[in-house]
Amino acid sequence: FQRKTFFCSFNEKKNNPTVFLVGDSIMASIQEEMKIKLINKNLNFIPMTNGGCDFIRVKNNNDAMCNEKIVKNRIKKIKDKKESTIILHINYKKNLKDKSLIGFSKVVNEYLNQNYQVVLIYPIPQMKKDVSIEVEKNLKNDEHPIKIVNIDFTEYLKQSKKISDLFDTMNHSNLYKIYPHKIFCNTYLKNKCIGNTQDYLYFIDSSHLSKKGSELINMDLIKII
């Protein structure tokens, strides 16, 4: 996490296909489980995750966490691994301009046409409260059952609509899609997206997945890969 120039390769061997994970800290929260699973399948894994840095063109070079140099270094590394797999996600809480999203779509289509495999992870729901803190309060007060931290499913759909609509328009024989809301929403509670159950934390705070949450996303990813 936070590599900006030289990116780590896990299990790089001559004949091993490469899988890139590109995104911000939300994507970083799934990379440990992914690394283990991909190594077990004889695949090379290269995470390119930086705080607040999705695969979107940026012009603000004053941001040490996400600037044009980091984006260019990512692109250079991807070009070194022809026909690899690229996993992408966009944080729906960011105030993204339509121009940026159009640029994202254009870049992804360029990779697809060059025979890269691209996996789009639709927006991962984000809670309004820190899930760990809320559950800890329940445990300290010996409350049973534990309260389920949640947000309204309709609110999630509304906030993530711009990105989901964009992903819906993107189609290609090399393009694959994963829908996190099918994991976290309308399952345990009707019309709600949840951050925990009685047995598991799905998020460690309001937006970053826990080990269990990561495992659930990775189940779908590994099936595709």
Side-chain angles (χ1 to χ4, degrees):
F1 182 52
Q2 300 289 47
R3 290 279 178 157
K4 298 174 176 62
T5 305
F6 302 104
F7 302 101
C8 299
S9 290
F10 297 93
N11 202 35
E12 182 157 6
K13 296 176 184 177
K14 186 177 180 180
N15 295 321
N16 282 2
T18 294
V19 176
F20 289 98
L21 178 68
V22 188
D24 64 0
S25 58
I26 292 177
M27 285 296 90
S29 69
I30 73 171
Q31 69 189 24
E32 185 63 23
E33 284 68 41
M34 182 177 292
K35 180 186 78 173
I36 294 167
K37 290 181 182 297
L38 294 180
I39 288 174
N40 288 339
K41 292 186 176 294
N42 294 319
L43 294 168
N44 178 38
F45 178 50
I46 303 179
M48 298 196 292
T49 52
N50 294 86
C53 202
D54 289 320
F55 201 46
I56 298 285
R57 289 280 188 179
V58 292
K59 293 183 179 180
N60 181 12
N61 289 317
N62 295 321
D63 187 348
M65 302 286 279
C66 191
N67 53 57
E68 192 173 10
K69 184 178 179 181
I70 294 171
V71 173
K72 286 182 177 179
N73 286 337
R74 286 172 164 180
I75 291 171
K76 181 181 177 183
K77 188 68 176 179
I78 291 172
K79 286 182 177 179
D80 287 343
K81 303 289 185 183
K82 301 294 183 185
E83 300 184 4
S84 55
T85 298
I86 311 167
I87 301 170
L88 302 170
H89 172 264
I90 297 177
N91 185 342
Y92 72 91
K93 289 287 187 176
K94 291 180 181 175
N95 185 22
L96 292 170
K97 296 179 180 178
D98 291 340
K99 188 176 180 180
S100 296
L101 293 176
I102 292 170
F104 172 87
S105 178
K106 182 180 178 182
V107 169
V108 169
N109 277 306
E110 287 174 359
Y111 284 118
L112 291 168
N113 291 330
Q114 293 169 24
N115 215 29
Y116 285 85
Q117 313 296 310
V118 177
V119 183
L120 294 178
I121 302 178
Y122 273 64
I124 295 174
Q126 297 184 40
M127 304 296 113
K128 293 180 179 180
K129 296 181 179 180
D130 186 310
V131 179
S132 292
I133 289 176
E134 293 303 308
V135 170
E136 184 183 25
K137 288 178 184 176
N138 287 179
L139 294 174
K140 282 184 174 179
N141 295 329
D142 200 27
E143 293 182 27
H144 298 286
I146 294 169
K147 293 177 182 176
I148 306 300
V149 180
N150 66 83
I151 59 170
D152 287 337
F153 180 51
T154 52
E155 183 178 358
Y156 157 77
L157 290 176
K158 183 179 179 180
Q159 292 182 348
S160 62
K161 187 177 188 302
K162 183 183 286 189
I163 294 170
S164 294
D165 284 352
L166 172 70
F167 286 6
D168 286 345
T169 65
M170 299 171 66
N171 292 287
H172 195 281
S173 59
N174 293 329
L175 183 67
Y176 303 85
K177 300 176 181 180
I178 285 177
Y179 305 92
H181 68 270
K182 293 184 179 181
I183 298 172
F184 303 113
C185 307
N186 282 318
T187 51
Y188 198 83
L189 293 177
K190 188 177 180 180
N191 296 322
K192 301 288 184 181
C193 301
I194 63 170
N196 64 290
T197 64
Q198 294 300 310
D199 301 306
Y200 296 107
L201 294 177
Y202 288 156
F203 294 83
I204 58 168
D205 49 26
S206 62
S207 58
H208 298 92
L209 292 165
S210 67
K211 178 178 174 63
K212 183 64 178 179
S214 170
E215 287 173 350
L216 293 173
I217 293 287
N218 271 292
M219 285 175 63
D220 287 347
L221 283 170
I222 296 303
K223 285 177 186 175
I224 288 174
I225 293 167

